[in-house]
Amino acid sequence: MYISDFNYHKPQSLKEACRILASSPDAALLAGGTDLLVEIKQGLRHHQDIVSINDIPELKLINIENNYLQIGAAVTHNEIANSKIIKGFCPAISESAAKIGSDQIRNVGTIGGNLCTGASCCDMGPILLALDAALEIFSTKGTRTVSLRDFFINHKETSLNNGEVLSKIIVSKTQSETGAYFEKFGLREAASISVASVAAVIESENGMCTNACIVIGAVAPTPRISNKANQILKGCKITELTENSPLLVKTGEAASDDSLPIDDIRSSTEYRRDLIKSLTQRAVLKALKNN
Amino acid sequence: MTKKGIFGQILNRFNKMKHIIKVNVNDTDYEVAVKPGAALLELIREELNLIGTKRGCGLGDCGACTVLLDGKPVNSCIILALEVNGKKVQTIEGLATGETLHPIQQAFIEKGAIQCGFCSPGMILRTKSLLDEKPNATTEEIKHDLSGNLCRCTGYTKILEAIETAKAYLNGEKPKDIEFQPQKSVMNLSVVGKRLPKLDAPDKATGRAIYTDDIRLPNMIYGKLLLSPVPHAQIRSIDTTEAEKVPGVKVILTGADVPDVKWGTSPARYDETVLAKDKVRFVGDVVAAIAAIDEETCYKAMKLIKVDYKELPAVFDPEEAMKDGAPRLFDNKYENNINTRVDHHFGDIEKGFAEADHIREARFVGNRTYQNPLEPHCAIAEWDRHNKVTLYTSTQVVHYVHHQLSRILDLPLGNIRVIMTNCGGGFGVKAATNTLEILSVFLAKRTGCPVKMRFTREEMYLYGRGRHKQYIDLKIGVKNDGTITAVKQKAVLEGGAYSSFGIVSTYYAGSMLATLYKFPNYKFDGYRVNTNLPPCGAFRGHGCPHPRFAFESLLSMIADDIGMDHIDIRKKNAMEPEYHTCNDLDIHSCEFQACLDLVRKKSGWNKKKGKLPSGRGIGIGCGGFVSGAGYPIYRSKFPHSNAIIKVEEDGSKAVLFVGDADIGQGSDTILAQSAAEAMGISFDRISVISADSDITPLGFGAYSSRVTLMGGNASKMAGEEVKKKVLSAAAQVLNISEENLDAKDNKVFVKDNPEKNISWQEAAAAYFSTGGPLVGKGHYSPPEGLGGTYKGAAVGTSPAYSFSATVCEVKVDMATGKVRVLNFWDAHDCGTAINPMAVEGQAEGAVLMGMSEVLFEDEVFDHRGKILNADLHNYLIASSADMPLIDSSIVDGYEPQGPFGAKEVGEGATLPVFGAIANAIEDAIGVRIYDLPITPEKILKAIKSKSK
């Protein structure tokens, strides 16, 4: 178990980073390294070139511009968890980040890494999908913006092309009566991988749900929007959404229906489906409380 | 721009050369050249030689390598050294100011928060960052925030106490005092019975304690093992030609290069070879050993070793393996793969069941768990020019390593020196000779260089020797009043590929059921079966936790059947003092009833049992263990523990030399307390040198919970001899007959006139002046003739037995099946607690470890016998966030066989936990789970099946 040697690059700008990426056959970007270095140590991957993006100032920014929250891709989980700006904008984003790994991991792991690894169990994906976040992607050809909903393709596969760097995550301000929450289920109280998770964003007006987005995590090749659940919620009365109320039970079942879980060492397919039912209920109720 | 050919390679090497970085470590600026692939951990440990930062898992899961990077805790094992260029790093060495410890270090030492110490540097630094950020952190915040630092010893309880204390120190407040009632048996003692911080705690709190991997000898090279990737195969050939060409490779050994001698743990089952001879039997079996200038070179070269395997059918399930026609692991022995068969019948089982009013039977299945000490195994071997080898190792048993090496090398003990360094936890996995210890010696011999070998976390699991998974069919018969009339148990133990401790594990699985409750008729059928998986061995509670889980579960089920309270049925059958069990074990002291009464009271049992709302439950479990095995692992007449005390010529201090091993449980401290008490000196006047075969007298080491009683008796005896000599000298000085004198608290005084005294020091110096070296020696052998005469009667014998009871309260999330253990109320009869703080530490650690095994832990294999969770990422162990409140009590007791009345705690405290949690979960959800671990998934399934 060792980190095989590589050519180390530490560009000061996105442009330079992209240039290095383009000129190497197998370069990998290094942000926190909490996945990358572990996989290299385990012998699962090898790279001739490693490009550290931790010195690129624009990747470390957190700001709000014209009702858009922008988070640099190399912002760490703990920076997100503790950011007053983000907490003020949408606390569920901070709360999601706080649920990742241990403190040591959160101090180095980044939001960009969490998304770009493309793991189905990633903990930032669900809430950001539910909030319909967009990604700004940089390359030598310029920047492109893509909806997160088009980013995840399969487990560990994203629409990021060779030579591209995720630079920013952009979340638009939700309307006033919106609640959001990320419910995570791990096998240990802390520092564990999600067995299943659900993010819920509920928009309401005058006691009616005007829009909803339920995203299920770790139960499909990518975090997945449950359209069935969304349809049930949209247009319902908020008062109908109480613990084990018929409508909420139905919502949970719908989300579970939309899942495509696998059996693995953490859980069976069946259990993941069961989990989604109750986690959906909880996520919705907590989202409403977070309103 | 793919770089090809020799020039390309040179170019690549050039590009991958070291980079110079500037880093400030502990307020010193360094300019260091680092390889691109070097982790911060390597920079700290290898380049800067700051060995206080520990390598536990190497993958960012355990937190042992935590350092503060610009004030924030990070896992230094998964950060590139290059990435800290221009940053500020703080390691444990940078926390104390000169000789003045940081208040957090002070608190960890005082409160007994340090056992093996391997997690301590990381834990302490994490605490620092936590309290820097949140000076008034709540208990819940601390529990949550500390969850990235795993500890396998303490159960986090004392760590939390220490953090609360540190918080008070830092905030200028007075820390809360612990309420503590000393036991009756220590009322007149000065050193024994005191809550003293461990002798090694200051070194462990400051990163000074040396573990094997911290040692770097001149000219030292590194070794690695090539492990089998297939579960069962004939080795047709091994070609090392290409591998040997790799620059830096010194030697590669295969089966042909090492003697044919078989080794193992129990002489009756020596069945391992130094390196695979013709066959491999599990994924992880050792095929070749390599030594090179560094580990990276070893790994690179190992990839080039070509092994031609002819794969054979493999078998992974013990019940399958027992069937006729199943693939055989050994052609010439262990028919039907049955490695050990036990057929015990005591009393009359037919009669016993005939007398029963109610009989119930059930099948229980255990789990395959791994000890997971935070410190990976490590060994360093070095030969001198006189054909003598010195081995530094992280072991629980210097003597058995010594003995085994002597057998394998065919050298007398005197040609081998085994030195135990600090040991970062064992729990049984370091209780026998391991492959690193053997092969480092061979590699060092061949190369003429000292060779260091260490396991990665994954290799630890592959080496195995964890808990046997047991399949248990248990049947108990009772009278209407709850009296047990008969017990029948069949246990099938999944053994893995080799014997290890397995023969003993199998006997223990049977014998120890009879020490807790009185029953006259008992039948035990034990089968240990070889499978193509890593060998199983001895893990805390050796062989007993699964049968005990089964028994405690079934006993509670029976209590429900006959309408009896769960504690009442236990009290009805509870062991009593001076009892001879049906399988010929002699119980002496026993305060089991007191344990039951205490946990009933403390837990509020009568108000809670059966009365808690759905999803809440309370359960009881009990256990107990031997205080040291009555017989050694191989036949020998040597006393089991031995001690020598040498007093300085000026009488100022004494040094205790013992062969037994302090693996973090605190035995050095406990033995020093026993010796100091016996000599009549205070604790600050004694130090300990332990577990070095050249220097310390034979001690069998730390296994079977033996050290307090056996090492304690030897140390006490040595102390008494010293005292006798000191009294004789004082008698001359005071001109009073020796019989009228006694020594205590550094004074020698006249018994009926204590005012008349001289200092112990003066008397000791006087002795030396006329009599030469003031030395005392002591030894301990268990009483002769322990146990019955039937085959296997030796296993389960002991001079004394511990008893314990624990009540556990849980909350079950009925929608997900997730369990939150809220409380444990634990009571232990360990006789006299030589050091109550250490006893509590053992009990708390045992409770949390047991809880972790019950709820989380299980090794998972694919259909080809490859383990899928050989890490701390997928094999979860309990973190601080999972810890319940543990209230651990020591009942009054006195064991006549033990030093000052003491007996064991380390393993006995684990045993009640399994049943207690299982029973509490049943109480919460109304359905019983029969197989471990009790995962949320199983619970939810059970809840759903019940509501159908």
Side-chain angles (χ1 to χ4, degrees):
Chain A
M1 191 172 72
Y2 63 98
I3 303 172
S4 49
D5 277 341
F6 47 81
N7 301 307
Y8 177 73
H9 309 271
K10 195 150 195 181
Q12 304 296 308
S13 71
L14 272 170
K15 226 179 200 163
E16 201 188 332
C18 289
R19 215 167 38 226
I20 300 163
L21 282 183
S23 66
S24 164
D26 71 344
L29 288 183
L30 172 73
T34 55
D35 284 321
L36 178 71
L37 296 178
V38 167
E39 288 177 10
I40 291 175
K41 276 189 157 188
Q42 289 174 325
L44 299 174
R45 53 202 283 182
H46 171 82
H47 298 279
Q48 285 283 329
D49 294 279
I50 284 187
V51 186
S52 164
I53 51 171
N54 288 316
D55 263 7
I56 301 174
E58 57 201 284
L59 297 184
K60 304 294 286 180
L61 289 179
I62 299 173
N63 62 27
I64 297 174
E65 245 182 56
N66 305 326
N67 278 336
Y68 288 98
L69 170 70
Q70 306 190 80
I71 307 173
V75 173
T76 67
H77 304 310
N78 260 351
E79 284 163 353
I80 293 173
N82 299 327
S83 160
K84 284 202 178 107
I85 296 175
I86 300 177
K87 280 184 193 168
F89 188 87
C90 175
I93 298 175
S94 294
E95 289 161 10
S96 298
K99 288 175 183 169
I100 296 172
S102 63
D103 204 63
Q104 285 90 328
I105 295 293
R106 291 192 297 275
N107 274 333
V108 291
T110 64
I111 183 170
N114 194 265
L115 297 177
C116 293
T117 299
S120 65
C121 58
C122 76
D123 285 336
M124 291 311 289
I127 193 71
L128 292 171
L129 270 179
L131 290 164
D132 198 12
L135 306 179
E136 187 185 279
I137 291 169
F138 190 93
S139 73
T140 42
K141 293 172 201 146
T143 53
R144 66 178 174 110
T145 306
V146 55
S147 164
L148 183 60
R149 292 175 181 182
D150 300 323
F151 184 70
F152 293 122
I153 294 174
N154 207 334
H155 182 58
K156 301 217 166 173
E157 190 185 342
T158 67
S159 68
L160 204 63
N161 297 314
N162 279 341
E164 288 186 326
V165 180
L166 169 65
S167 49
K168 259 183 223 168
I169 293 88
I170 303 161
V171 185
S172 61
K173 183 79 191 160
T174 52
Q175 51 139 311
S176 60
E177 283 187 62
T178 301
Y181 195 79
F182 173 62
E183 180 80 18
K184 163 174 175 159
F185 186 88
L187 293 173
R188 195 164 60 178
E189 286 297 317
S192 60
I193 298 171
S194 290
V195 175
S197 65
V198 176
V201 172
I202 313 281
E203 294 173 34
S204 58
E205 215 177 298
N206 304 324
M208 301 290 284
C209 172
T210 52
N211 206 357
C213 189
I214 301 295
V215 180
I216 52 184
V219 289
T222 68
R224 184 176 164 92
I225 295 171
S226 171
N227 287 321
K228 285 183 193 158
N230 295 350
Q231 275 159 22
I232 294 169
L233 291 171
K234 201 169 170 183
C236 79
K237 277 192 207 143
I238 297 296
T239 50
E240 285 181 85
L241 298 172
T242 57
E243 197 180 336
N244 288 327
S245 67
L247 192 70
L248 199 48
V249 169
K250 217 172 118 193
T251 310
E253 281 166 358
S256 180
D257 266 359
D258 273 339
S259 68
L260 302 161
I262 53 159
D263 277 319
D264 66 8
I265 60 168
R266 278 182 275 282
S267 152
S268 70
T269 299
E270 190 196 345
Y271 182 59
R272 283 198 164 94
R273 285 192 202 280
D274 283 339
L275 278 178
I276 290 297
K277 291 179 196 165
S278 38
L279 299 184
T280 301
Q281 285 212 30
R282 287 175 192 180
V284 168
L285 292 174
K286 287 178 187 167
L288 291 172
K289 264 196 197 163
N290 252 355
N291 188 343
Chain B
M1 50 169 211
T2 335
K3 292 154 187 162
K4 281 190 182 147
I6 186 79
F7 294 107
Q9 278 176 27
I10 290 168
L11 191 61
N12 265 338
R13 286 180 77 90
F14 185 74
N15 278 342
K16 290 170 186 170
M17 271 171 52
K18 289 185 171 179
H19 297 238
I20 307 280
I21 62 162
K22 286 181 184 175
V23 58
N24 179 290
V25 181
N26 301 331
D27 295 324
T28 303
D29 289 319
Y30 293 91
E31 228 178 73
V32 226
V34 295
K35 283 197 316 181
L40 173 57
L41 177 64
E42 283 139 26
L43 167 68
I44 293 168
R45 285 181 59 86
E46 316 291 334
E47 295 292 326
L48 306 181
N49 206 19
L50 296 169
I51 50 84
T53 307
K54 302 302 180 195
R55 181 192 69 118
C57 71
L59 297 174
D61 295 314
C62 76
C65 67
T66 299
V67 298
L68 303 185
L69 183 60
D70 288 338
K72 289 185 182 142
V74 296
N75 292 315
S76 61
C77 69
I78 51 165
I79 288 185
L80 291 181
L82 287 172
E83 290 285 290
V84 304
N85 193 13
K87 295 191 175 177
K88 213 169 142 61
V89 176
Q90 186 175 27
T91 71
I92 191 70
E93 289 87 352
L95 196 56
T97 316
E99 278 301 292
T100 312
L101 296 182
H102 190 279
I104 297 172
Q105 291 169 311
Q106 195 57 46
F108 268 64
I109 295 166
E110 282 168 18
K111 293 294 166 189
I114 297 172
Q115 287 189 26
C116 86
F118 205 74
C119 75
S120 305
M123 193 73 79
I124 288 170
L125 285 172
R126 174 68 190 107
T127 303
K128 168 152 195 312
S129 66
L130 166 63
L131 294 182
D132 280 350
E133 199 188 328
K134 304 173 189 166
N136 295 307
T138 63
T139 306
E140 279 312 306
E141 279 175 322
I142 296 169
K143 278 169 69 175
H144 183 266
D145 288 0
L146 222 58
S147 61
N149 293 75
L150 299 176
C151 168
R152 195 65 160 162
C153 297
T154 63
Y156 305 102
T157 305
K158 297 257 179 284
I159 290 176
L160 239 75
E161 262 175 52
I163 297 176
E164 292 294 344
T165 303
K167 217 168 81 181
Y169 284 154
L170 291 165
N171 293 340
E173 294 156 10
K174 195 177 168 293
K176 264 196 282 183
D177 281 333
I178 304 264
E179 279 175 43
F180 174 70
Q181 178 67 41
Q183 287 175 295
K184 288 180 192 138
S185 57
V186 302
M187 286 308 179
N188 296 315
L189 302 177
S190 303
V191 189
V192 162
K194 296 285 181 287
R195 303 176 66 89
L196 296 172
K198 267 153 44 84
L199 287 168
D200 51 357
D203 278 349
K204 288 175 172 175
T206 51
R208 285 188 198 175
I210 303 293
Y211 299 78
T212 308
D213 194 20
D214 301 333
I215 297 172
R216 225 174 356 167
L217 298 175
N219 198 28
M220 189 174 84
I221 59 173
Y222 294 81
K224 280 296 306 177
L225 301 175
L226 179 72
L227 306 178
S228 168
V230 292
H232 200 191
Q234 218 104 49
I235 298 177
R236 285 204 192 98
S237 65
I238 304 177
D239 179 0
T240 58
T241 329
E242 289 305 307
E244 276 161 19
K245 288 181 192 159
V246 174
V249 170
K250 300 287 185 185
V251 70
I252 299 173
L253 301 178
T254 66
D257 304 309
V258 292
D260 275 340
V261 59
K262 294 275 196 316
W263 69 280
T265 306
S266 303
R269 300 283 188 286
Y270 285 156
D271 55 14
E272 295 185 59
T273 49
V274 172
L275 288 166
K277 285 287 175 182
D278 312 304
K279 208 175 163 181
V280 287
R281 295 183 174 84
F282 71 99
V283 176
D285 213 346
V286 186
V287 176
I290 179 169
I293 49 162
D294 54 32
E295 283 189 342
E296 196 173 323
T297 307
C298 291
Y299 282 119
K300 284 176 179 162
M302 282 201 297
K303 282 185 197 150
L304 302 174
I305 299 177
K306 296 187 194 88
V307 186
D308 184 7
Y309 294 106
K310 182 192 170 206
E311 285 214 48
L312 301 169
V315 61
F316 307 111
D317 178 273
E319 292 182 322
E320 288 297 316
M322 282 164 82
K323 288 182 184 159
D324 288 337
R328 285 274 294 273
L329 275 82
F330 292 85
D331 297 330
N332 54 357
K333 54 183 162 190
Y334 311 148
E335 212 153 308
N336 287 61
N337 293 311
I338 298 170
N339 162 285
T340 302
R341 168 81 176 100
V342 182
D343 178 8
H344 281 170
H345 189 181
F346 309 103
D348 183 342
I349 197 78
E350 301 296 331
K351 186 170 151 271
F353 281 117
E355 284 167 9
D357 296 316
H358 178 71
I359 296 170
R360 185 148 184 192
E361 56 190 315
R363 165 164 263 230
F364 298 87
V365 183
N367 44 346
R368 192 182 162 104
T369 58
Y370 182 63
Q371 292 90 340
N372 257 319
L374 261 285
E375 180 209 25
H377 308 56
C378 184
I380 302 170
E382 180 180 30
W383 289 82
D384 69 9
R385 296 287 168 193
H386 307 282
N387 202 31
K388 179 165 180 174
V389 63
T390 299
L391 180 79
Y392 302 86
T393 181
S394 171
T395 184
Q396 301 174 226
V397 287
V398 162
H399 174 69
Y400 288 111
V401 177
H402 202 199
H403 170 77
Q404 201 59 240
L405 286 178
S406 163
R407 278 190 66 248
I408 294 168
L409 299 170
D410 195 20
L411 281 176
L413 289 177
N415 282 48
I416 302 160
R417 178 179 183 185
V418 180
I419 302 173
M420 175 208 177
T421 61
N422 275 291
C423 171
F427 315 108
V429 80
K430 296 172 185 169
T433 312
N434 67 46
T435 49
L436 300 184
E437 288 160 340
I438 298 168
L439 283 153
S440 60
V441 167
F442 277 95
L443 290 170
K445 182 78 177 171
R446 278 290 292 272
T447 58
C449 300
V451 174
K452 178 189 275 189
M453 298 185 86
R454 48 183 203 172
F455 281 149
T456 62
R457 185 64 46 179
E458 183 186 17
E459 289 161 352
M460 291 168 76
Y461 287 88
L462 292 175
Y463 167 68
R465 330 283 154 153
R467 199 181 292 300
H468 290 77
K469 176 176 182 169
Q470 296 190 38
Y471 299 75
I472 294 163
D473 292 298
L474 184 66
K475 182 174 168 183
I476 302 177
V478 295
K479 293 273 199 196
N480 281 332
D481 68 354
T483 307
I484 301 172
T485 60
V487 175
K488 189 176 172 209
Q489 184 191 199
K490 180 187 166 197
V492 176
L493 285 76
E494 179 202 294
Y498 297 104
S499 288
S500 177
F501 271 102
I503 178 170
V504 185
S505 322
T506 315
Y507 280 109
Y508 265 134
S511 65
M512 292 302 290
L513 276 193
T515 65
L516 198 56
Y517 303 107
K518 298 171 290 181
F519 46 82
N521 306 302
Y522 179 32
K523 172 111 179 70
F524 173 60
D525 281 296
Y527 301 82
R528 181 182 189 270
V529 186
N530 285 129
T531 55
N532 294 104
L533 293 175
C536 299
F539 181 175
R540 200 175 204 165
H542 197 180
C544 307
H546 294 165
R548 182 51 62 202
F549 154 68
F551 198 98
E552 295 298 307
S553 297
L554 192 59
L555 193 59
S556 288
M557 289 156 68
I558 289 171
D560 287 341
D561 291 346
I562 61 171
M564 201 168 172
D565 174 73
H566 293 192
I567 294 182
D568 288 344
I569 198 169
R570 286 169 169 80
K571 284 184 65 75
K572 182 86 200 168
N573 295 286
M575 188 50 62
E576 57 189 50
E578 301 306 326
Y579 186 88
H580 185 80
T581 70
C582 66
N583 55 347
D584 290 331
L585 302 174
D586 286 300
I587 310 294
H588 298 293
S589 71
C590 171
E591 301 296 339
F592 187 25
Q593 294 277 4
C595 292
L596 285 162
D597 291 338
L598 191 63
V599 295
R600 184 202 286 272
K601 190 172 153 225
K602 282 204 161 182
S603 65
W605 176 268
N606 295 351
K607 273 185 278 172
K608 289 177 182 166
K609 179 65 186 130
K611 294 164 193 154
L612 295 170
S614 169
R616 277 292 266 269
I618 190 164
I620 180 150
C622 302
F625 204 61
V626 296
S627 292
Y631 295 88
I633 292 174
Y634 70 95
R635 204 169 289 228
S636 106
K637 291 274 183 200
F638 298 133
H640 294 204
S641 278
N642 299 278
I644 297 170
I645 296 171
K646 173 184 154 259
V647 181
E648 293 298 329
E649 53 272 28
D650 66 354
S652 60
K653 293 227 167 169
V655 188
L656 169 67
F657 297 85
V658 284
D660 292 324
D662 191 330
I663 57 171
Q665 86 282 34
S667 65
D668 281 359
T669 305
I670 269 75
L671 302 186
Q673 284 181 263
S674 302
E677 185 74 55
M679 283 187 279
I681 61 172
S682 56
F683 191 64
D684 57 353
R685 297 199 179 181
I686 188 164
S687 61
V688 182
I689 292 178
S690 60
D692 176 334
S693 68
D694 258 16
I695 294 177
T696 60
L698 163 70
F700 283 156
Y703 70 98
S704 80
S705 286
R706 54 177 300 286
V707 182
T708 296
L709 188 142
M710 301 198 185
N713 273 324
S715 302
K716 176 170 176 267
M717 183 177 169
E720 282 162 352
E721 190 177 314
V722 168
K723 178 159 124 179
K724 195 165 179 337
K725 290 175 176 173
V726 170
L727 296 188
S728 73
Q732 300 271 322
V733 177
L734 293 166
N735 202 17
I736 286 178
S737 89
E738 202 180 312
E739 295 75 59
N740 295 329
L741 294 175
D742 201 359
K744 203 177 177 171
D745 299 331
N746 305 325
K747 283 198 177 73
V748 180
F749 57 90
V750 180
K751 277 183 198 164
D752 50 13
N753 180 18
E755 298 299 303
K756 188 166 182 187
N757 61 61
I758 60 166
S759 78
W760 196 95
Q761 182 171 357
E762 187 189 339
Y767 179 91
F768 202 108
S769 307
T770 55
L774 175 49
V775 172
K777 57 191 175 52
H779 56 89
Y780 178 80
S781 296
E784 276 187 36
L786 286 180
T789 51
Y790 57 89
K791 188 178 178 232
V795 182
T797 60
S798 178
Y801 297 84
S802 70
F803 297 89
S804 56
T806 198
V807 168
C808 150
E809 187 170 341
V810 301
K811 191 174 151 189
V812 178
D813 181 336
M814 297 297 275
T816 64
K818 195 169 184 174
V819 177
R820 189 90 181 88
V821 180
L822 305 172
N823 295 84
F824 272 100
W825 296 271
D826 181 62
H828 201 83
D829 165 24
C830 61
T832 298
I834 303 272
N835 185 330
M837 189 161 78
V839 168
E840 288 162 11
Q842 286 297 299
E844 290 153 1
V847 164
L848 195 89
M849 185 182 249
M851 182 196 96
S852 182
E853 281 192 69
V854 172
L855 297 180
F856 304 137
E857 300 182 28
D858 201 15
E859 292 183 350
V860 184
F861 294 87
D862 70 9
H863 68 288
R864 301 289 300 136
K866 186 180 183 309
I867 183 167
L868 296 173
N869 54 351
D871 52 38
L872 287 165
H873 197 69
N874 297 299
Y875 183 106
L876 295 180
I877 64 173
S879 79
S880 54
D882 304 291
M883 67 171 282
L885 267 178
I886 304 172
D887 176 318
S888 89
S889 313
I890 306 163
V891 299
D892 271 315
Y894 188 90
E895 170 55 54
Q897 296 284 333
F900 305 99
K903 49 187 184 178
E904 83 88 39
V905 60
E907 298 185 77
T910 304
L911 289 156
V913 180
F914 292 68
I917 299 179
N919 286 333
I921 291 172
E922 194 276 340
D923 190 43
I925 66 172
V927 200
R928 182 159 295 274
I929 312 283
Y930 294 87
D931 54 330
L932 302 174
I934 305 180
T935 59
E937 179 163 357
K938 287 180 193 167
I939 291 173
L940 191 65
K941 204 170 163 189
I943 293 171
K944 279 167 71 180
S945 70
K946 182 188 149 202
S947 57
K948 264 177 197 161

